[in-house]
Amino acid sequence: MPASGWLKFGLLSCCVLKIHRRAWGLVLVSAALQVVIFPLPGLYGLAWIAAAPLIVAILRSRVPETLQLDGQARLLPATPWQGFVLGYLCGILWFAGTCYWIFDTMHRYGGLPIPVAVLAQILFCMYVGLYHGMFGLLLAVIAGSKMVGSKIARPEIVASGASIRRALGAAPFLWVAVELARTRITAFPWELLGYSQTGNFALTRIAALVGVYGLSFEIVLVNSVFAAAFLVAKEQRKRLLVAACAAAVILQTGQLLVPPPVAMDHTALLVQPNIPIQEGAMWTKEYFQSTLRDLTATSVPPVGEKADRRYDLIVWPESPSPFYTNDPLFREAVSALARQSGSWVVAGSIGITPAMHSGGESSQIFNSATLINPQGEWVGRYDKVHLVPFGEYLPFPQLFAFAGGLTKEVGEFERGASRTPLDAGGQRLGMFICYESIFPDEVRQGPLQGAQVLLNISNDGWYGDSGAWKQHLQQTQMRAIENGRWLLAGTNTGMTASVDPDGRIVAATPRKVRTALAAPYALISGTTFYTRHGDWFAYLCAIISAGALLARFVFPNRER
């Protein structure tokens, strides 16, 4: 390493070593709190204090190198690099604790050896953790006030009370801006902070205006007040703690306020196949045909119901089955079901577009949802647009060749090109498949184009017995709230559910059983402000954050 490289490494190490041990402890506490506020622990009420320890750690992390006038050594805000390190550690630990299921998916279904799967988990944590690091860095920059001392000697960053207050005020805007960056750049906005309040029916009403980002903003705002209580003089602490606790209690009690029932006049039959994930060789012709027979039998009215009952929609979800749209056995089985039931059918399938139709040299393969009318005709298809990296395609194949086992198990799919709703006899279905449910701006495209009900089909069997299925459902529920739509969640292993426009689960199945759910819903044509305008609030937070950072550099010596 060149001498300049060693010098930079030495300076960085020295910078990290100067972080006070209390700051490290606060980071660990914050990471733990940010883990338990999501499923499966689901201690949602702790969200109001989950980020406060991290904010305090960043704003009180260094022992000053100069003598204080009152003789007391008050801790100073972190330098930008120290802020990044503190935030980065918190992000790594949060992601490891929340998305621990990635290891099992990589090992069990991706065929990766345990050491390689562990390495993959660590790399994922280090990558996504960068966004918490970015938050820490930006917060530390805003908290800095003026430079004292020679630029050649070791400069001391002195923070005034005003600059600390500005940092606390900026924290909610910075957090949302970083969440937006994680959504747009990394494309893995799993469990944004606002999702911790999905079941808070009174509070989530604002999501129809500002999306899940507005909930994140509100949570960090309260966290900032808690943090302020431990950054001000002791005589002011009690007042701030009372205000923060009152705000948290009042906002959290919204979870106890149950909205009135929403009218429903349609019923869909959501089939939960509970098909195990297994090697392709196990899919013999006999096993394939018996699976189709079982699913068809499950799709007829349950025992005890009228034999002539007709559902408005029958849904087979995404599953690990080799249900190719050009397979005559599969096509005939689904067409026969549609004719027998007299219902529209949506079937999760592997869509095939022949080379003669695609214009390429070979056929194209898609992760699809196919629409069949009551006459058994295949009249529409939605092809998944936002594919799962390492699951449905392999980014940078030469670099990540070791993870090719996952795409071998799932498939190397092409991206779909349209989010136009499927028209099922006057019912306009806003389709999205599995992982697409965590992208709010993409899901809103369906209602924006006239979708009257949202339909998500997913194979959550990849998550095993981890809490990921519950995390996924929690995020899917938020899409119903943001868009003011009924949402039908059809899954392979559960939980299969019907979600009303308030995000409330009104009907659901137990997990890991083959069954069917008579799911009530209604068609809604109006649009919410969020549906029409998307992530406007998140972009506004990003603009305000940029303005705060610009002011920090334009007026570096101005006491604020």
Side-chain angles (χ1 to χ4, degrees):
M1 181 183 293
S4 60
W6 283 111
L7 179 60
K8 291 178 181 178
F9 178 77
L11 291 174
L12 180 59
S13 299
C14 182
C15 180
V16 172
L17 291 174
K18 288 183 179 180
I19 297 175
H20 195 275
R21 64 178 181 275
R22 189 174 71 179
W24 293 115
L26 288 171
V27 165
L28 296 179
V29 171
S30 185
L33 289 172
Q34 289 179 56
V35 169
V36 300
I37 62 176
F38 295 113
L40 284 174
L43 304 177
Y44 307 123
L46 295 179
W48 305 105
I49 60 171
L54 174 61
I55 295 172
V56 174
I58 295 168
L59 299 181
R60 285 288 185 269
S61 64
R62 290 186 304 120
V63 177
E65 297 181 6
T66 56
L67 181 65
Q68 303 296 295
L69 295 178
D70 57 4
Q72 297 181 6
R74 292 190 181 90
L75 295 178
L76 296 175
T79 65
W81 276 116
Q82 288 172 335
F84 173 80
V85 170
L86 291 170
Y88 191 34
L89 175 62
C90 184
I92 290 173
L93 295 176
W94 164 78
F95 189 71
T98 303
C99 297
Y100 59 91
W101 44 267
I102 288 178
F103 162 78
D104 189 60
T105 301
M106 291 282 191
H107 173 57
R108 183 181 302 184
Y109 305 117
L112 299 185
I114 290 179
V116 180
V118 170
L119 176 62
Q121 175 82 59
I122 293 173
L123 290 175
F124 270 119
C125 294
M126 293 178 66
Y127 180 42
V128 181
L130 288 171
Y131 291 92
H132 270 63
M134 184 189 304
F135 170 77
L137 185 150
L138 297 177
L139 189 65
V141 168
I142 290 178
S145 180
K146 60 182 180 180
M147 304 298 293
V148 177
S150 169
K151 293 185 178 180
I152 299 176
R154 291 177 298 184
E156 186 70 21
I157 297 179
V158 178
S160 67
S163 66
I164 293 295
R165 290 193 294 271
R166 190 171 96 154
L168 289 169
F173 297 95
L174 291 173
W175 190 282
V176 172
V178 168
E179 285 192 340
L180 179 65
R182 180 151 64 95
T183 302
R184 295 295 182 178
I185 300 173
T186 303
F188 194 73
W190 192 267
E191 291 293 32
L192 304 180
L193 194 58
Y195 288 120
S196 65
Q197 297 302 308
T198 297
N200 192 330
F201 301 118
L203 187 61
T204 54
R205 290 185 181 274
I206 68 171
L209 175 67
V210 293
V212 67
Y213 299 105
L215 296 173
S216 295
F217 181 91
E218 196 158 9
I219 293 169
V220 180
L221 181 62
V222 175
N223 274 269
S224 293
V225 180
F226 272 110
F230 294 95
L231 296 171
V232 299
K234 288 185 179 180
E235 56 269 19
Q236 297 177 303
R237 182 169 300 168
K238 183 177 179 180
R239 177 169 53 85
L240 283 173
L241 279 176
V242 169
C245 289
V249 170
I250 292 172
L251 291 170
Q252 191 60 45
T253 53
Q255 196 159 359
L256 305 177
L257 302 177
V258 180
V262 181
M264 56 192 85
D265 54 7
H266 289 65
T267 305
L269 188 72
L270 308 181
V271 177
Q272 183 173 290
N274 196 38
I275 298 173
I277 299 171
Q278 50 195 353
E279 295 289 340
M282 298 184 66
W283 280 94
T284 62
K285 184 176 181 179
E286 292 75 17
Y287 183 75
F288 182 85
Q289 291 178 322
S290 68
T291 299
L292 284 176
R293 285 195 298 270
D294 286 349
L295 293 184
T296 301
T298 307
S299 303
V300 299
V303 176
E305 292 194 8
K306 295 180 180 180
D308 59 350
R309 175 173 182 177
R310 188 177 70 84
Y311 292 100
D312 298 284
L313 194 65
I314 296 176
V315 178
W316 286 11
E318 178 191 40
S319 71
S321 312
F323 290 162
Y324 290 88
T325 57
N326 61 352
D327 184 340
L329 291 176
F330 174 61
R331 291 180 68 94
E332 178 52 36
V334 177
S335 294
L337 170 63
R339 290 191 295 266
Q340 178 185 351
S341 64
S343 301
W344 288 83
V345 176
V346 172
S349 53
I350 301 175
I352 304 295
T353 299
M356 66 180 67
H357 295 157
S358 66
E361 296 181 358
S362 59
S363 298
Q364 293 182 315
I365 303 176
F366 300 90
N367 186 355
S368 304
T370 304
L371 180 66
I372 301 94
N373 68 19
Q375 291 73 45
E377 300 168 334
W378 292 49
V379 295
R381 195 176 85 191
Y382 167 74
D383 297 325
K384 187 175 182 181
V385 176
H386 203 135
L387 302 178
V388 182
F390 303 104
E392 293 169 323
Y393 77 99
L394 190 63
F396 310 108
Q398 294 182 345
L399 181 61
F400 295 110
F402 68 89
L406 279 177
T407 51
K408 179 181 178 182
E409 291 294 330
V410 183
E412 186 73 32
F413 294 110
E414 301 289 338
R415 287 181 172 83
S418 173
R419 294 191 180 277
T420 303
L422 297 178
D423 192 336
Q427 302 180 84
R428 293 181 61 79
L429 313 177
M431 293 296 313
F432 51 106
I433 299 176
C434 192
Y435 167 78
E436 290 183 307
S437 66
I438 70 174
F439 297 97
D441 192 57
E442 296 182 18
V443 173
R444 78 177 181 94
Q445 300 303 320
L448 194 61
Q449 297 182 55
Q452 299 163 304
V453 61
L454 297 175
L455 177 55
N456 177 241
I457 59 173
S458 178
N459 175 22
D460 287 352
W462 297 104
Y463 302 140
D465 293 321
S466 72
W469 68 269
K470 179 64 173 176
Q471 296 171 6
H472 187 205
L473 179 59
Q474 182 185 57
Q475 295 171 92
T476 303
Q477 288 171 256
M478 186 62 71
R479 304 291 85 84
I481 301 169
E482 290 168 338
N483 295 285
R485 290 289 188 275
W486 280 86
L487 188 149
L488 304 175
T491 67
N492 176 37
T493 57
M495 171 185 291
T496 295
S498 173
V499 181
D500 73 10
D502 292 314
R504 174 176 42 192
I505 297 175
V506 298
T509 64
R511 293 190 67 238
K512 304 181 76 173
V513 294
R514 179 168 292 178
T515 185
L517 174 70
Y521 69 101
L523 303 179
I524 299 175
S525 297
T527 56
T528 65
F529 189 88
Y530 178 80
T531 299
R532 295 190 297 274
H533 301 285
D535 296 333
W536 69 273
F537 180 76
Y539 282 106
L540 178 63
C541 288
I543 293 170
I544 293 174
S545 298
L549 290 166
L550 181 63
R552 167 69 180 87
F553 289 105
V554 171
F555 308 107
N557 296 316
R558 180 181 174 183
E559 292 293 335
R560 295 176 289 276

